[in-house]
Structures are given as structure tokens and as C-alpha cells.
Amino acid sequence: MVDALVSITFDDGYEVTVRNVIPILRDYNIKATFFVIASKVGKIFENFKIANWTLWKKLTNLGMEIGSHSLSHIPPPEPLSKKFIRVLSLLKYSEPREQIDIIRNEITRGIRGVREFVDIYSEIIKSKSIIEQNIGTRIYSYSYPGGIVSSSLKEVLRNAGYILARSSMRGYNVWNRIDLYELKSMVWTKYTTASVANRWVDEAVKKGAWLIETLHIVLSLQGNIKPIRNIYVSSIEELIKHLDYIKSIGIPIVTLVEGARIISAS
């Protein structure tokens, strides 16, 4: 067993993110995991365009891992007790200035979720079928929309042929306590710097853990003076410095499926 692992994942599938990070990942010889919202491909989602199927197939040919981020990105209902635990984890591992934005997002999502019905089986099974048909290969990873997890969702995922699922529960995946269908992650926001993310890596090494990092919208923010409203915009300049650090200390960077196989073989 290796001392620690790092996985870099990207949620939602924004075209600008894909085009910004692919040259960097190729330069560093890093294979990352990209999660796609199947019904949003080629469309505008939260003010940004989702990459089209041609680009997703290109990523597959480059050796990147593609996973499902559901069919429509509508989170399922969440019991209050589970929501409390999840939000506490978000606040525990966030920077102080992030916490107001996190709480605001949770309130907004809760209000929106009341108005929307979710067909869990379509979100999980149909999204897998659509992605596989369009990229020409099987997928095995799932990212829960909204990070909401339940035992029934895990069972559907297993039966559908997924081998792992990533939640939005913050933290580290310690070897002897890993649930492959409820993987924890550390999420980049507009407040995340390379030094913050480097501390995540140091903590993973200390714990002997698998660190999964999640990014959404990745842009060049060099010289930017405009206020960034979306909390999930990340700086490509800070990401590059962070990847330099990971490479400098020699920790393997793997896709989620690769990480799951390492864990299962140990």
C-alpha cells in the first residue's frame, strides 16, 4: 500500500474548465476524473456551457476518466439529520471566509429542491447509459449531485455497475475506513489557494489517506479585479502551483477508478 494518494476531479463538465485544464494535465502527465451531467451536455448550466460529446470523447482518448454526475443534477431529498452532518463537515474543513457562502448555497438549494421531483433510477442508470453510448466506453464512477448520499442510492449504484461514488462530505479517505460508495473530498472554491490545498496533501500524508480534490469552474484569475460571485470558481494559477507541490513530494496522482482498484487490492 502506498503512503498516500491524490485524485483530481472536476464536476459538472464546463467547457471552459476542460479547455483550461487539459493542456496542464497533459504537461504534468496527470490523469484526472471528469464528472458529466448527462442531459446538460452541450447546453448552458449555471451560466457556463457544458462541453459537448466530441470533447468528452477526446478526453477519453487522452486517458482521462469520465464519470456520471447524474442525468439532470437535481439532488434527491435529504433527511435533516444527514444534512446537518454534511453541512457540519463543509464548515469544519472550510476557510472562515467561505462559511457564509456555504450556508447561503445550502439555503438556496434547499428552497429549489422542494419544487423539484427526482427520479433516482433515471439519474443514476440512464445517465450511465447515455454517457457510455456517447464516449464509447464503460464508466464506473458517480458523483452525487449536491453530495447527498443514502443506503438506497448506494444499492442502486452497485446494481447499475458503478464501483465507486464521490460525495461532498469533506475529509480524507483513510485506508481502513473507506466506503467506496461514499468517498470524501476536499472542494476548491474561490478562496482556495495553493498553500491551502498543499495543506490538504500534507494532512493526507500524515493520515496515510487518499485525498480526493474537487473543482468546478477553473479560470485564469491573474490580474482579475472583478468580484467573483460564484463560490466554485477556482484559479488555474493556484492549481498549477498546487500540482507542482504534489509532484515535488512524489505522491501518486490517480483517477478515481485507479484509486479504488489500489484500495481493493490492499
Side-chain angles (χ1 to χ4, degrees), residues 11 28 60 69 75-76 88 95 132 140 164 176 184 189 196 235:
D11 271 11
Y28 284 86
T60 302
H69 196 26
L88 278 182
E95 298 297 301
E132 289 177 343
Y140 299 98
L164 64 90
N176 60 350
K184 298 176 182 178
T189 72
V196 168
S235 163

Side-chain angles (χ1 to χ4, degrees), residues 5-11 32-33 35 166 171-173 184-188 192-194 196-201 204 210-216 239 242-243 246 253 256:
L5 292 173
V6 174
S7 292
I8 308 296
T9 71
F10 299 90
D11 271 11
T33 300
F35 287 106
R166 201 212 65 221
Y172 304 86
N173 301 286
K184 298 176 182 178
S185 67
M186 300 297 282
V187 179
W188 281 66
T192 306
T193 62
V196 168
N198 293 349
R199 289 198 297 271
W200 299 344
V201 174
W210 180 13
L211 167 64
I212 299 172
E213 302 184 26
T214 300
L215 300 93
H216 294 78
L239 176 61
H242 177 55
L243 295 178
I246 299 173
I253 302 177
L256 292 188

Side-chain angles (χ1 to χ4, degrees), residues 64-81:
M64 304 296 166
E65 180 191 359
I66 310 299
S68 171
H69 196 26
S70 79
L71 182 66
S72 61
H73 201 273
I74 302 174
E78 183 178 26
L80 189 58
S81 59

Side-chain angles (χ1 to χ4, degrees), residues 136-178:
T137 189
R138 296 192 68 183
I139 65 169
Y140 299 98
S141 301
Y142 188 79
S143 170
Y144 296 101
I148 297 170
V149 186
S150 69
S151 56
S152 59
L153 287 175
K154 292 180 185 181
E155 189 61 27
V156 174
L157 287 164
R158 288 189 190 95
N159 292 336
Y162 293 93
I163 65 172
L164 64 90
R166 201 212 65 221
S167 73
S168 66
M169 185 75 77
R170 300 293 198 270
Y172 304 86
N173 301 286
V174 180
W175 302 137
N176 60 350
R177 299 197 299 273
I178 290 179

